[in-house]
Amino acid sequence: MPATVAPVPDIEARGYAHPDVLVSTQWVADHLADPNVRIVESDEDVLLYETGHIPGAVKVDWVADLNDPLTRDYIDQPRFQRLLRSKGINDRTTIVFYGDKNNWWATYAFWVFRLFGVENLRLMDGGRLRWAEEGREIVTAAPRYAEGNITVKDRDDVRNRVFREQVLQHVKSGKRLVDVRSPEEYRGERLHMPEFYQEENGLKPGDDVIVYCRIGERSSHTWFALTYLLGFGSVRNYDGSWTEWGNLVKAAVEKP
Amino acid sequence: MDRETRIAWLVDHAQRPRFRGNLPDADARVPGGNPGCGDIITMYLKAKEGDERVAAVSFEGVGCTLSQAAASILAERTNRLTPTFAEVLAFSYEEMLDLLGRGIASSRPQCATLALGTLKGAVKTVEMNRKLRAAGHTDEEIAELRRAIAAQAEGTGLVIGEGAEQAALNL
């Protein structure tokens, strides 16, 4: 491992609410041959997996695999179950996500998997970049696994997901809405939804929180951090996000 | 070309880009950005003297594998065919997806078409500069018209022309 890679504190020592949801790159390296672990790469870059990936890792693409091909929505239960089985995933499999862009798309896939009630999900701390910077093995050969037998539930669009009408009610009742887009998007070169609170604005774990960004992927990262690392009990991701809200006729918009 | 061969071809172009670098005597240098994921392509275009035809192109860029592969493939194709300006402008975004492989590229259409949009912007820049120079227009007037080129990209999700790099990085 190159000496240039800065050491990071042990996950257990960081004070996270649910540290077990994160695994280290070393943990992944130690479980490459574990038949009960499936490593899943989820990237923004559609061809990054093909340039090389963690040995044994499978690819899940957020557009080609998770999005419904016609409607702006996610695939249904039968298709999702077929997808996971095609990756050799069983009911007892521990699924470890990693990806590019600071695990944005890995947490996005994590969030979608949670919509279907999939348990045993983990995120590789540091993502693809840390694995690469540590000089760990990267391969191009795609693995083949025997068909899995996982059974997934119907998609639950209530617990972790929220739609525009609910967002509107949430805003009207003065509850917390977190905008996790860039400062330029949030200031009014780019406008924002009303009653927003950016991440530094003193949220409390007991707050009922909705997170949004442009299409819901950055906010899925925040959903992950608030829920699993900071222990918030009620965080929902508005995947319609600014793309939907900013185009809704007469939707309330603020500019700071 | 089967899917695996096509993926290998795209990855090869991204990892060993053809015609990458600036073109010192270019008639146009036009940046394009994809704010969706931060891809940037800067296209250099040299036109044939006295002819409405591309003589040579090159590009610089950063971004995802597909956006950089697309720029390399488009630059290679353009240098091989040396198309007329009209042919570049007529080459559609749909045709670009077909060139790259619709099965892969259609899931990231903005990444796939950024290079083409930027190349079209470079052609329009050269066309406009020639007309304006012939008509005796001032540099300020030329700058204003270049801003109009940038505005043409509105609604495509891409930003072509002045300010494109910054727009792409403002995520």
Side-chain angles (χ1 to χ4, degrees), chain B residues 17-36:
Chain B
R18 282 63 143 178
F19 302 101
R20 186 184 172 91
N22 69 15
L23 208 56
D25 58 346
D27 294 302
R29 172 197 174 278
V30 173
N34 174 12

Side-chain angles (χ1 to χ4, degrees), chain B residues 56-79:
Chain B
V57 295
S58 70
F59 76 98
E60 294 173 328
V62 292
C64 72
T65 307
L66 181 59
S67 71
Q68 303 306 302
S72 174
I73 289 164
L74 182 66
E76 187 177 65
R77 179 184 187 276
T78 307
N79 284 312

Side-chain angles (χ1 to χ4, degrees), chain B:
Chain B
M1 206 185 305
D2 65 26
R3 183 178 170 85
E4 282 189 12
T5 306
R6 189 171 285 280
I7 286 173
W9 173 62
L10 292 167
V11 169
D12 180 62
H13 267 278
Q15 293 180 334
R16 300 187 308 114
R18 282 63 143 178
F19 302 101
R20 186 184 172 91
N22 69 15
L23 208 56
D25 58 346
D27 294 302
R29 172 197 174 278
V30 173
N34 174 12
C37 73
D39 305 322
I40 296 172
I41 296 290
T42 298
M43 197 64 78
Y44 297 85
L45 188 151
K46 176 73 179 165
K48 288 203 170 167
E49 199 71 37
D51 193 359
E52 293 192 344
R53 181 176 287 278
V54 176
V57 295
S58 70
F59 76 98
E60 294 173 328
V62 292
C64 72
T65 307
L66 181 59
S67 71
Q68 303 306 302
S72 174
I73 289 164
L74 182 66
E76 187 177 65
R77 179 184 187 276
T78 307
N79 284 312
R80 186 178 72 249
L81 299 178
T82 61
T84 64
F85 292 171
E87 286 167 341
V88 171
L89 297 177
F91 190 64
S92 72
Y93 293 109
E94 294 296 320
E95 288 172 303
M96 186 71 197
L97 294 181
D98 288 334
L99 174 66
L100 299 175
R102 189 170 286 272
I104 299 155
S106 60
S107 70
R108 304 289 195 282
Q110 294 180 358
C111 307
T113 58
L114 173 62
L116 177 59
T118 309
L119 178 63
K120 287 172 185 264
V123 164
K124 288 177 184 173
T125 298
V126 172
E127 279 187 324
M128 194 172 286
N129 286 354
R130 283 181 170 180
K131 289 175 185 171
L132 295 172
R133 219 171 284 129
H137 279 281
T138 64
D139 288 347
E140 289 75 16
E141 288 169 328
I142 291 175
E144 178 58 36
L145 287 161
R146 280 186 175 163
R147 282 192 282 276
I149 289 175
Q152 285 185 4
E154 282 182 11
T156 65
L158 302 176
V159 183
I160 309 296
E162 293 175 17
E165 296 106 321
Q166 194 54 46
L169 293 173
N170 271 348
L171 242 190

Side-chain angles (χ1 to χ4, degrees), chain A residues 46-229:
Chain A
V46 68
L47 291 173
L48 192 58
Y49 173 89
E50 282 79 5
T51 68
H53 51 263
I54 294 177
V58 296
K59 172 183 178 177
V60 169
D61 185 70
W62 66 281
V63 178
D65 292 324
L66 300 180
N67 281 3
D68 185 278
L70 287 176
T71 309
R72 188 181 165 191
D73 199 358
Y74 303 104
I75 54 176
D76 56 17
Q77 187 269 350
R79 288 193 62 176
F80 186 74
Q81 183 165 290
R82 279 200 301 276
L83 171 72
L84 268 56
R85 288 182 174 185
S86 75
K87 307 294 181 187
I89 293 172
N90 300 312
D91 285 320
R92 294 180 56 194
T93 303
T94 295
I95 300 170
V96 180
F97 294 98
Y98 77 101
D100 63 356
K101 302 280 179 89
N102 303 316
N103 273 336
W104 273 355
W105 304 88
T107 51
Y108 189 68
F110 186 115
W111 177 72
V112 175
F113 277 48
R114 284 299 301 139
L115 296 181
F116 289 96
V118 181
E119 307 285 351
N120 299 326
L121 304 181
R122 307 284 186 275
L123 186 71
M124 187 178 82
D125 188 41
R128 184 186 163 101
L129 185 61
R130 180 169 300 159
W131 181 274
E133 287 187 342
E134 289 174 348
R136 297 184 186 275
E137 186 181 10
I138 294 283
V139 300
T140 54
R144 294 186 187 281
Y145 296 108
E147 182 87 354
N149 62 14
I150 190 170
T151 301
V152 302
K153 298 172 183 167
D154 283 336
R155 202 178 66 215
D156 177 356
D157 285 340
V158 175
R159 181 174 170 78
N160 292 306
R161 191 182 187 197
V162 68
F163 299 96
R164 60 179 180 274
E165 289 303 323
Q166 297 158 286
V167 175
L168 189 60
Q169 292 305 316
H170 188 87
V171 168
K172 283 180 177 171
S173 62
K175 293 180 179 175
R176 296 302 185 97
L177 190 60
V178 179
D179 182 329
V180 295
R181 297 173 302 157
S182 67
E184 291 80 8
E185 288 171 287
Y186 148 72
R187 293 191 306 259
E189 292 104 90
R190 294 123 189 238
L191 304 170
H192 62 79
M193 293 156 60
E195 302 297 330
F196 70 91
Y197 290 83
Q198 279 216 309
E199 283 175 281
E200 65 271 25
N201 282 13
L203 295 166
K204 298 182 201 66
D207 290 340
D208 180 15
V209 178
I210 290 175
V211 293
Y212 78 95
C213 58
R214 186 176 62 90
I215 58 171
E217 102 289 0
R218 280 172 287 179
S219 48
S220 69
H221 194 278
T222 304
W223 166 86
F224 178 88
L226 291 175
T227 302
Y228 293 101
L229 306 186

